[in-house]
Amino acid sequence: MDPKSRNLTYHHGAVSRTDRERLLGQRGAVLWFTGLSGSGKSTVSHAVEHELYRAGHLVQVLDGDNVRHGLCKDLGFSDEDRTENIRRIAEVAKLSVDAGLLVLTAFISPFRADRDAARAVVGSDRFLEVYLDVPLEECERRDPKGLYKKVRAGEIAEFTGVSSPYEPPTAPEIALPTAELTIEESAARVVAHLREHGFLAAPATDPSTDPSTGESNR
Amino acid sequence: MDPKSRNLTYHHGAVSRTDRERLLGQRGAVLWFTGLSGSGKSTVSHAVEHELYRAGHLVQVLDGDNVRHGLCKDLGFSDEDRTENIRRIAEVAKLSVDAGLLVLTAFISPFRADRDAARAVVGSDRFLEVYLDVPLEECERRDPKGLYKKVRAGEIAEFTGVSSPYEPPTAPEIALPTAELTIEESAARVVAHLREHGFLAAPATDPSTDPSTGESNR
């Protein structure tokens, strides 16, 4: 065989996001958790992960633990670096959604513009903003990492909600008043939303019956 | 219930990489394709993706199409930016391996040091270097994107293999002389390697019987 033809003859169809979603029995999406430090982003996202796993779903959690020391370890906490941090997380989430995963991101992400940019990167139909709606006083009372104490002692200069702004979502897909809910109740609300909106089932077999999932992403 | 206790009482076990791998029936790994422009990285990686999908496996392909215009769109082609490009790809691949995916990366990645750094990020037991071993003359003869022609016409100053170095792997896990193989044969070799090394089956049920997959990654 001529070497050139050997390398131009592979014409199988590309594997699409819809194919991968059928394999997984779910539809890829990002649950973008946002809220003050101590509002429960990490706790609730891991509870959701656990519930989804028990139901047979593939989930990826992106949080400070696995992003700040890896992909974004070159970034600090200036406004510019925070924006770049969120941008990269959104781009990774987009790649994972394309792979068919349910992605949970757990970052304060205080600025509306950054969250809107993340939504634009991922695509609005696959982006669910989850607002952990908890008064500052309650977060400070919990203070799971002892950070508010340090802020009040003057050991941390800039801190979201105290000395730097937190811009709450205006129209989050899911709002969780975690001061009034158990962790299990919060997780159940998120899972119910996903189920009601079709994310926990494979896309329809005939793409033409479901325009939102019928596109090839190749 | 006291609000504080409500938020400190969730103690389900964390979901580990091994859990996700059991769900998927595979073990997460990176296949790091490297080779000159025109050596077949993109073509062969997509052929491998297709074969793995047909066998029920979840695959993510990272290549110029979905990385250079997204996660790495702020980067140019200086040595420093090329290194940062590879670093970010390795970090994303690590996150995806942690999710249980088989990740195929298709970048020239000409420098040994960058590839070794990627291996260190992902972990050597989950990193398989796939060297597309094709003479420059053959790549230039194929010239699928017409780039070599532009180089020879002086329209591109720096080009790997011509005016900037390509450092071949010294001990790749898989070597593919794609000038002597059909695309199907190349893909079959990669799939066979994965199968022989246990990546296409779920990890053992008892982690203690398989130390390499028993760790929790949380």
Side-chain angles (χ1 to χ4, degrees), chain A:
Chain A
M1 195 191 289
D2 173 70
K4 190 171 179 181
S5 73
R6 288 191 178 196
N7 283 283
L8 292 169
T9 53
Y10 193 85
H11 289 301
H12 292 294
V15 182
S16 71
R17 182 179 69 190
T18 304
D19 293 327
R20 290 183 283 270
E21 290 176 331
R22 294 213 182 103
L23 191 67
L24 291 170
Q26 64 188 38
R27 289 174 62 203
V30 178
L31 291 160
W32 191 279
F33 287 73
T34 175
L36 296 171
S37 178
S39 61
K41 297 179 298 298
S42 183
T43 306
V44 174
S45 64
H46 280 106
V48 171
E49 176 192 31
H50 191 265
E51 291 309 306
L52 289 173
Y53 170 72
R54 294 206 318 165
H57 292 288
L58 188 65
V59 174
Q60 178 181 51
V61 179
L62 300 177
D63 60 17
D65 286 345
N66 62 8
V67 168
R68 268 286 179 186
H69 301 292
L71 179 65
C72 295
K73 70 178 177 185
D74 55 321
L75 301 175
F77 291 88
S78 68
D79 282 6
E80 192 183 19
D81 279 7
R82 278 173 185 270
T83 295
E84 173 64 7
N85 184 52
I86 297 301
R87 186 190 75 80
R88 289 189 200 169
I89 293 160
E91 293 285 0
V92 173
K94 180 189 185 169
L95 291 168
S96 292
V97 166
D98 187 56
L101 274 67
L102 293 161
V103 185
L104 316 184
T105 67
F107 300 88
I108 296 175
S109 46
F111 302 122
R112 214 169 277 142
D114 290 344
R115 296 193 304 268
D116 288 349
R119 184 185 291 270
V121 164
V122 172
S124 195
D125 57 330
R126 301 296 181 137
F127 188 91
L128 309 173
E129 207 167 355
V130 184
Y131 173 36
L132 283 82
D133 184 4
V134 188
L136 175 64
E137 299 67 38
E138 169 64 14
C139 294
E140 185 159 359
R141 206 186 57 68
R142 294 175 184 172
D143 204 8
K145 298 177 190 164
L147 294 173
Y148 287 97
K149 230 172 236 117
K150 286 188 181 175
V151 173
R152 300 303 179 184
E155 293 168 36
I156 300 175
E158 290 226 338
F159 199 74
T160 298
V162 181
S163 48
S164 91
Y166 177 80
E167 301 172 356
T170 47
E173 276 76 7
I174 304 172
L176 300 174
T178 65
E180 300 157 25
L181 299 169
T182 64
I183 295 161
E184 288 82 355
E185 287 166 352
S186 290
R189 283 198 190 185
V190 174
V191 173
H193 184 100
L194 288 174
R195 196 176 303 281
E196 282 158 19
H197 288 77
F199 289 104
L200 304 187
T205 308
D206 178 3
S208 66
T209 63
D210 186 350
S212 73
T213 63
E215 83 280 25
S216 166
N217 61 333
R218 297 297 314 269

Side-chain angles (χ1 to χ4, degrees), chain B residues 122-216:
Chain B
V122 172
S124 195
D125 57 329
R126 302 296 182 137
F127 188 92
L128 309 172
E129 207 168 355
V130 183
Y131 174 35
L132 284 83
D133 184 5
V134 188
L136 174 64
E137 299 66 39
E138 170 63 14
C139 293
E140 186 159 358
R141 206 185 57 70
R142 294 176 184 172
D143 204 9
K145 299 177 189 164
L147 293 174
Y148 288 97
K149 229 172 236 118
K150 286 188 181 174
V151 173
R152 300 303 179 184
E155 292 167 37
I156 300 174
E158 290 226 337
F159 199 74
T160 298
V162 180
S163 48
S164 89
Y166 177 79
E167 300 171 355
T170 46
E173 276 77 6
I174 304 171
L176 300 173
T178 64
E180 299 156 26
L181 298 169
T182 64
I183 294 162
E184 287 81 356
E185 286 165 351
S186 290
R189 282 197 191 186
V190 174
V191 173
H193 184 98
L194 288 173
R195 196 175 303 282
E196 283 158 18
H197 289 78
F199 288 103
L200 302 187
T205 307
D206 178 3
S208 66
T209 64
D210 186 350
S212 72
T213 63
E215 83 281 25
S216 166

